[in-house]
Amino acid sequence: FHDWGPVEPLLWPPLAEPPDRDLYLNGYTRYPGLPEYQLMFPMIYHRLTERSDVRLCASADGSAWGWVPGDPVIRPGPPGRWDGEFLGSGKDLMPFGPGRVAAPYSGTPYPHKHPRWQSVWDAWNLGWAVWPEDRLCALVAAGEGELWTQPAVPAGRTLRLDCRVPVGGQIRVGVDGI
């Protein structure tokens, strides 16, 4: 354990984030049943409010990581609740009953720098963040939207879309070059 080699950063804070944000725990996991999908649930500490939330990152190779756009995937609960101030991200996203996946997380009703009295330590609790299966993140177009993917050669003769379209909505698919 004495020669670790050079540090190789894997993730940077987005440039649009305020400078009071720290990256803490990483909560690494692979999507259940799909080991090629590597995910991270980094806990973001907000120094000015002493609160935290958990975001989502993804990687295809475990070395180059990117932030999944959108809001935090786990936010503090209402003030006074067991997870109302400070959260810690867990790891190992797992199946959680029919049609659901979940990740463990911890929380406390006290801010991060609160004095560490025994009652504060005893207030830490564990919980589950639960999502519908295959719905951890999504592209949402409230009106009209357009999405292009990277060029890819299909592995078989069938392409499937995993989507939800409201009544009256539509999805149109085109194949470039055909």
Side-chain angles (χ1 to χ4, degrees), residues 6-7 17 22 29 31 35 38 58 64 84-85 92-93 95 104-105 109 123 128 135 138 141 148 150 156 161 172:
V7 172
E17 286 287 313
D22 291 338
T29 188
Y31 197 88
Q38 298 182 62
E85 289 292 331
D92 295 330
L93 186 67
Y105 77 101
W128 293 98
R135 297 282 180 227
W148 292 73
Q150 295 293 323
L161 296 177
R172 296 190 303 173

Side-chain angles (χ1 to χ4, degrees), residues 2-178:
H2 75 347
D3 185 14
W4 291 89
V7 172
E8 295 182 32
L10 300 176
L11 187 63
W12 294 262
L15 294 175
E17 286 287 313
D20 78 317
R21 309 291 161 86
D22 291 338
L23 300 177
Y24 264 46
L25 311 170
N26 68 22
Y28 173 83
T29 188
R30 292 178 186 264
Y31 197 88
L34 298 167
E36 63 273 19
Y37 293 117
Q38 298 182 62
L39 304 172
M40 210 185 324
F41 291 96
M43 184 264 278
I44 311 300
Y45 172 54
H46 304 249
R47 288 178 183 224
L48 292 179
T49 62
E50 296 185 15
R51 299 181 90 202
S52 62
D53 55 45
V54 178
R55 306 284 172 99
L56 179 61
C57 297
S59 175
D61 63 5
S63 294
W65 288 86
W67 295 94
V68 173
D71 294 332
V73 293
I74 308 173
R75 294 176 183 238
R81 254 190 61 171
W82 70 270
D83 62 350
E85 289 292 331
F86 192 71
L87 306 175
S89 58
K91 61 178 191 144
D92 295 330
L93 186 67
M94 61 190 68
F96 203 74
R100 300 186 314 167
V101 294
Y105 77 101
S106 59
T108 180
Y110 298 102
H112 184 48
K113 300 294 183 183
H114 201 79
R116 302 297 201 269
W117 298 314
Q118 188 62 46
S119 61
V120 173
W121 286 112
D122 293 342
W124 273 100
N125 278 297
L126 300 174
W128 293 98
V130 181
W131 299 272
E133 187 176 32
D134 300 331
R135 297 282 180 227
L136 186 55
C137 64
L139 176 67
V140 177
E144 188 173 319
E146 189 171 302
L147 168 73
W148 292 73
T149 65
Q150 295 293 323
V153 177
R157 299 181 53 86
T158 304
L159 292 175
R160 293 186 208 174
L161 296 177
D162 181 7
C163 57
R164 291 184 183 167
V165 181
V167 174
Q170 66 176 328
I171 290 182
R172 296 190 303 173
V173 178
V175 179
D176 190 34
I178 296 177

